[in-house]
Amino acid sequence: MSTFRVDGARALVTGASRGIGRAVAQALAEAGADVALSARTGDALKETATLVQEQGRTAVLVPGDLADTAQAVHVVDRAARTLGGLDIVVHNAGILPMEADGSPVVLPLQESFQRDWDSVLHVNLGATAAVCRAAYPYLVESPRASLVLMSSVAGVVGAPRMEAYAASKAAQISLVRSLATGWAHHGVRVNALCPGWTRTDMTAFAYGSGPLSDWLMGHVPLGRWAEVADVAAATLYLASPASAYLTGHALVLDGGMSVPDGGLAGTPKPPSPFAAPVPSPSRAADPLPVPEPTP
Ligand SMILES: NC(=O)c1ccc[n+]([C@@H]2O[C@H](COP(=O)([O-])OP(=O)(O)OC[C@H]3O[C@@H](n4cnc5c(N)ncnc54)[C@H](OP(=O)(O)O)[C@@H]3O)[C@@H](O)[C@H]2O)c1
């Protein structure tokens, strides 16, 4: 089991203020890493830092909004400078498109707006490119470099009503394949983890709703939500020497959901809450450019 240890490794975890990122930071610390923690919410990062320190490891706070490329570069540079380099980068920060009231936009593409698409692609893909680019010079200096992108099973099988999210996660998998081959001669491993439905703030709208949760879990042969500890354990595998010969891989961790017709596992499927047409909530349309009057 020692190959799962990352003693003395210098790690950066983005999206570490809650949910999966917090659990990943805690797992890496438990396995021996010092961890730089990034997100926008400083107070929540301090709570994660306490969990890291309780494992006897160093926690460094590098707050920033990764949607801003300059901040993303600053976050990576500060993490590397403070820890003295980077061996592990888990880029986990990500979003669903949100309404102004904080509820997720769950609408087919044809009913959604371009701003929904742009916001998700900007954070989930644009920030990924910025973090990877900024991390490259540090990772190539490490004798045990591992970059893990937190993708999603949605990036593998698609997600009707969450097309932008699924496309952003599929693009992360493509980037992993490209970087893995491009960076292999430096000894840098690059992999994606593709979790299925995991209980976090991001999915509270679904697991908090009985019929929707029942329907979703009806498509998961293992019949339950993933917990953040499930995702953290798989991330540790990708970050540690236990996966030393693995690169360019997208590891699907979804309770069997993506197996073609997971129903063959015998899981009874409740009726879809989406079976009837769902009226669009009233939303302010994107402002359309007003054409100049022609003389
Ligand atoms: N939950 C699931 O079912 C599931 C399934 C598959 C994949 N995933 C992926 O796993 C990752 C973590 O998801 P989660 O469920 O743990 O979500 P979450 O609870 O909503 O946490 C998202 C994290 O990302 C950070 N973040 C969001 N936007 C940011 C920005 N612009 N700059 C910096 N940090 C930002 C958030 O911190 P602040 O708000 O403090 O900035 C938070 O720490 C995401 O990439 C998600 O797509 C989740």
Side-chain angles (χ1 to χ4, degrees), residues 28-226:
L28 288 172
E30 196 177 341
D34 296 324
V35 193
L37 308 165
S38 190
R40 292 164 300 182
T41 318
D43 285 348
L45 281 181
K46 285 182 194 156
E47 290 178 36
T48 309
T50 302
L51 297 173
V52 169
Q53 288 157 350
E54 282 173 0
Q55 302 298 329
R57 305 308 309 181
T58 298
V60 175
L61 302 191
V62 283
D65 183 350
L66 299 179
D68 177 333
T69 302
Q71 289 192 47
V73 172
H74 183 66
V75 160
V76 175
D77 283 344
R78 221 176 119 207
R81 279 203 310 273
T82 314
L83 292 175
L86 287 175
D87 305 298
I88 296 168
V89 173
V90 180
H91 175 53
N92 160 79
I95 59 167
L96 290 176
M98 302 302 258
E99 300 283 10
D101 65 2
S103 60
V105 178
V106 186
L107 287 172
L109 182 76
Q110 64 275 18
E111 291 178 29
S112 66
F113 297 122
Q114 189 61 28
R115 63 170 183 259
D116 304 322
W117 179 274
D118 291 343
S119 63
V120 171
L121 270 289
H122 183 64
V123 174
N124 289 3
L125 188 55
T128 297
V131 168
C132 292
R133 193 183 298 109
Y136 172 80
Y138 302 107
L139 291 173
V140 295
E141 291 297 320
S142 165
R144 49 171 166 173
S146 174
L147 169 64
V148 181
L149 299 186
M150 198 59 71
S151 177
S152 166
V153 68
V156 178
V157 299
R161 294 170 186 268
M162 290 186 175
E163 289 89 350
Y165 178 79
S168 71
K169 294 296 173 179
Q172 284 184 316
I173 295 170
S174 171
L175 183 62
V176 155
R177 290 176 174 275
S178 302
L179 294 183
T181 49
W183 294 3
H185 65 285
H186 292 297
V188 181
R189 297 188 300 110
V190 187
N191 291 290
L193 183 58
C194 304
W197 291 102
T198 308
R199 282 197 322 131
T200 66
D201 289 357
M202 181 181 275
T203 52
F205 73 98
Y207 71 76
S209 149
L212 181 52
S213 179
D214 290 349
W215 180 67
L216 293 172
M217 291 308 108
H219 291 76
V220 177
L222 285 184
R224 68 166 174 90
W225 285 77

